[in-house]
Amino acid sequence: MDPQQLRTFVSVVDHRSFSAAAQALGYTQSAVSQHIAALEADLETPLLTRRPVAPTEAGRRLLEHARPLLLRLDAARADIARLRQVRPGRLALACTPGALTPAVAHALVRARTEAPRLVASVRVCGRAAAVQAALTGAADLALIDGAAAPTDPLPLPDAASLAAFPVREEPLAVLLPADHPLAGRPALRLADLAAARWIDAPDAAVPLAQLRAAAHSDGFGHQLTYTGTDFHGLSVLVAAGAGLAAAALPAAADLPGIAAVPIIEPRITHRVELLHPRTLSAPAAELAEALRRAR
């Protein structure tokens, strides 16, 4: 399969339009149609319906493979490019909301103080986007948070070629409204909350899939989805009774209208991990080392 044809296919699916995909890719609509026709001929099956534009069953199967394949190709290109040229004057950090701790902020400020000409940037985003930024060179380093057993690494998709090490571990807490019947408990068992109503906020709190895995339960259902990385906005919804969420205990300790109750069973912690490619610029290497020392 031709990677460019795969990229065109993914763009058409994402935009649900041949013309919009053409505009996004800088192609003519005819070229987009030719790419899709060639890919369908190669795989000997229709991949898209035309009216409306949507993937067929074969197209949905291909999409499951296409996104990680294209990401790996972009990661390979970025990895080779780093060998040729590392940008010494840039320090770009991608991080999830729960990973931007005071220690990280202080280390970043010290890096800027020691190198006044350093162009530093911080992008707060979801887990998949942060990993992708580190893989493709959009970021020099990525900080990811999540829940895991004390001896287990975070479950991170498509991060196999990145080095990873923990920079912070802290207790994990359930966030409840302050007037919730369980709000006064000193601690809670995660399994006891499997049937509760949760908020699905994978980029602002611990993903529900990680809670299910930790509790060995199919529960943790949700009736509300929260899209975004604003932890304060999520806490407002929890305080109003929209559902529960899980996050680092220190981050949630002083939120208005919120009771943050530690989880004591199973043994699970909130962890922040630093991800980086094998080739680092001097500022990125120094920041990584500073975070290692601060652990």
Side-chain angles (χ1 to χ4, degrees):
M1 286 178 284
D2 184 298
Q4 195 54 58
Q5 292 172 4
L6 276 180
R7 204 174 296 277
T8 300
F9 167 72
V10 171
S11 184
V12 171
V13 172
D14 287 345
H15 290 88
R16 295 191 173 275
S17 164
F18 279 67
S19 59
Q23 184 174 5
L25 295 170
Y27 296 156
T28 64
Q29 186 169 338
S30 175
V32 168
S33 298
Q34 290 173 13
H35 281 190
I36 299 302
L39 190 58
E40 290 179 326
D42 182 16
L43 296 176
E44 300 181 350
T45 186
L47 299 172
L48 294 167
T49 59
R50 267 49 176 185
R51 295 188 182 185
V53 175
T56 62
E57 176 60 29
R60 288 191 291 272
R61 293 285 185 89
L62 179 60
L63 197 63
E64 294 175 4
H65 298 282
R67 294 190 193 279
L69 281 172
L70 292 172
L71 177 58
R72 297 301 299 161
L73 286 173
D74 291 341
R77 182 180 295 277
D79 208 22
I80 300 304
R82 290 187 193 98
L83 294 175
R84 292 186 287 104
Q85 181 181 11
V86 176
R87 286 174 276 189
R90 184 195 83 163
L91 180 56
L93 178 65
C95 63
T96 54
L100 190 56
T101 63
V104 174
H106 291 149
L108 192 60
V109 169
R110 283 195 299 271
R112 282 284 293 111
T113 302
E114 294 168 2
R117 294 188 178 184
L118 184 67
V119 178
S121 64
V122 178
R123 175 190 174 195
V124 178
C125 55
R127 289 169 180 81
V131 171
Q132 182 172 338
L135 281 170
T136 60
D140 302 300
L141 304 167
L143 281 163
I144 316 291
D145 78 305
T151 57
D152 292 343
L154 289 180
L156 298 174
D158 302 315
S161 66
L162 297 173
F165 66 89
V167 297
R168 188 179 180 92
E169 283 191 0
E170 52 205 352
L172 185 68
V174 177
L175 311 188
L176 311 99
D179 59 356
H180 193 280
L182 299 177
R185 295 282 187 89
L188 289 167
R189 297 193 320 143
L190 188 58
D192 292 341
L193 299 168
R197 182 175 60 197
W198 290 76
I199 298 174
D200 183 24
D203 290 331
V206 172
L208 297 185
Q210 292 183 14
L211 298 183
R212 293 187 189 103
H216 303 288
S217 169
D218 294 329
F220 302 95
H222 67 279
Q223 294 180 326
L224 177 67
T225 299
Y226 182 80
T227 303
T229 60
D230 181 9
F231 186 65
H232 174 73
L234 174 63
S235 72
V236 170
L237 290 171
V238 172
L244 311 184
L249 180 59
D254 298 320
L255 292 172
I258 294 289
V261 182
I263 296 170
I264 57 168
E265 188 182 326
R267 290 189 63 212
I268 183 172
T269 64
H270 176 265
R271 182 182 301 150
V272 177
E273 291 187 1
L274 178 68
L275 307 182
H276 64 78
R278 285 171 289 181
T279 304
L280 286 174
S281 66
E286 289 169 6
L287 179 60
E289 182 58 30
L291 293 175
R292 280 192 178 96
R293 293 194 303 266
R295 183 171 182 257

